[in-house]
Amino acid sequence: MNVQSIIGDTPLVELTTFDVPSGVRLFAKLEFMNPGGSIKDRMVDYVLADAERRGLLRPGATIVENTSGNTGAAIAMLAAARGYRAVLTMPDKVSKEKRDALRALGAEVVICPTSAAPDSEKHYVSCARRIHAETPGSFMLNQYDNPLNAEAHFRSTGPEIWEALGPAVTAFVASGSTGGTISGVSRYLKQRNPAVTSVLLDPVGSVYHRWFHHGVLDPAEIAPYFVEGVGEDHLAQCMDFSVVDDVLRFTDADAFAACHHLARHEGLLCGGSSGANVWGALRVAHSLKGPATVVTVLPDSGGRYLSKIYNPQWLSENGFGPGATSERDDDL
């Protein structure tokens, strides 16, 4: 047995402390229980295995990728296990815990300004592409535009959800950046039952919400937000809107409030994207009449955000007063 062999088959638990309509059940897949600590383990392992089979990734090569942290952790873990070098670029809003974890696994980390425009040389995606071009024999996953990203979830996450719940699944809800999770899982579930509803969650400051509803890509909408690993400042080719039925917009406060409820009442210490996913799942749950089952994923652990989401001083300094993350009964 090796580290790759224990990726996937994560537990699916029912969330029981939230106020939902009678007959509506809420389930969450604990993706932070993957060995690298996040849902990104699935995609990275799948893409690297494909690259190795096709001779695109050779022994001792360098893996280069842009990441908000979790993809980087998966790359660093698997690079160490398989004997590759890893060079990872990330925006400076990424938590210190994530940066330190990547370095501990032997990866080289290049920090780029979060404020850099998508077409700027300083943008973390542009930086990764430059390093890849300058490094002979290197391999770049290109997670935002690689169809294998969504295929990984079509072949693993989606089937696992269906195996556990089957036709009971009414809706799948998840935030997205690359779009791999929402696209792959939704495509699989809809193939099993076309009536399954798929809902993408998008943070204020990202472009997906307006693009989905109005077909407009407005640079003026791009703005900073604190939740990591979700939303985007450009359209990722991996995002398949043809399998998405609706896009809901959330705020940092929405996500963080759900995080605190998960920790204090469900015993689940999760990251901001998990909070966003649960907030969205609750919104969808309240639109349904039982019997119905809403499923989401908890992409990573709150242990990577102790200096931020779970730090009262950080919350206060960034405008999240006591009311911003307190449990609001009308929403949760």
Side-chain angles (χ1 to χ4, degrees):
M1 180 178 291
N2 55 34
V3 71
Q4 295 97 301
S5 68
I6 56 173
I7 293 173
D9 292 320
T10 54
L12 185 71
V13 301
E14 185 170 8
L15 304 180
T16 59
T17 66
F18 292 95
D19 178 25
V20 295
S22 177
V24 178
R25 304 176 73 187
L26 181 60
F27 286 85
K29 199 156 174 57
L30 308 187
E31 288 300 298
F32 57 80
M33 296 189 72
N34 281 300
S38 86
I39 195 169
K40 294 295 187 177
D41 287 9
R42 295 177 184 265
M43 177 273 291
V44 171
D45 183 54
Y46 192 81
V47 174
L48 294 186
D50 176 80
E52 290 170 336
R53 283 193 300 268
R54 295 198 287 149
L56 301 176
L57 183 58
R58 300 185 180 278
T62 298
I63 302 171
V64 181
E65 188 68 6
N66 45 277
T67 175
S68 60
N70 288 331
T71 295
I75 291 173
M77 174 186 72
L78 293 173
R82 291 172 169 171
Y84 301 117
R85 175 182 174 233
V87 180
L88 306 166
T89 66
M90 58 175 48
D92 56 17
K93 79 172 183 179
V94 170
S95 68
K96 182 178 183 297
E97 292 91 338
K98 285 185 180 180
R99 302 183 199 185
D100 290 347
L102 300 185
R103 293 184 175 117
L105 287 164
E108 178 183 340
V109 179
V110 180
I111 304 299
C112 305
T114 299
S115 59
D119 58 353
S120 167
E121 293 182 357
K122 296 182 179 181
H123 192 274
Y124 73 113
V125 176
S126 301
C127 183
R129 289 173 177 164
R130 176 182 55 78
I131 294 171
H132 171 49
E134 295 174 352
T135 307
S138 62
F139 174 75
M140 188 170 178
L141 282 76
N142 193 26
Q143 60 172 321
Y144 288 90
D145 301 327
N146 191 338
L148 294 178
N149 182 346
E151 188 174 307
H153 295 287
F154 177 83
R155 296 189 178 278
S156 66
T157 321
E160 289 173 25
I161 291 171
W162 187 263
E163 182 178 357
L165 296 172
V169 178
T170 306
F172 177 70
V173 182
S175 51
S177 178
T178 66
T181 301
I182 189 75
S183 300
V185 172
S186 298
R187 180 155 53 93
Y188 182 85
L189 294 178
K190 285 176 175 289
Q191 282 192 8
R192 299 306 301 263
N193 177 11
V196 171
T197 298
S198 168
V199 179
L200 170 68
L201 308 172
D202 196 42
V204 173
S206 172
V207 301
Y208 289 143
H209 181 270
R210 189 168 186 190
W211 174 261
F212 179 85
H213 289 287
H214 304 290
V216 174
L217 184 62
D218 184 2
E221 281 203 321
I222 300 172
Y225 49 89
F226 289 107
V227 177
E228 298 178 23
V230 295
E232 202 43 71
D233 55 13
H234 69 286
L235 296 178
Q237 293 180 29
C238 184
M239 180 71 76
D240 182 4
F241 286 108
S242 73
V243 295
V244 174
D245 297 293
D246 196 9
V247 178
L248 301 180
R249 180 171 280 171
F250 68 89
T251 66
D252 289 319
D254 293 328
F256 296 165
C259 283
H260 283 258
H261 183 106
L262 284 167
R264 294 169 184 165
H265 299 288
E266 297 282 354
L268 296 169
L269 187 67
C270 300
S273 59
S274 299
N277 287 357
V278 170
W279 174 87
L282 288 168
R283 286 284 302 273
V284 172
H286 281 281
S287 72
L288 301 172
K289 293 182 179 180
T293 299
V294 181
V295 186
T296 190
V297 293
L298 305 184
D300 69 358
S301 167
R304 292 178 171 173
Y305 308 93
L306 294 178
S307 64
K308 300 176 74 174
I309 299 172
Y310 300 98
N311 183 324
Q313 182 178 345
W314 182 90
L315 290 170
S316 177
E317 288 175 350
N318 288 282
F320 302 102
T325 57
S326 64
E327 295 147 28
R328 295 168 292 175
D329 292 337
D330 56 334
D331 292 336
L332 302 179

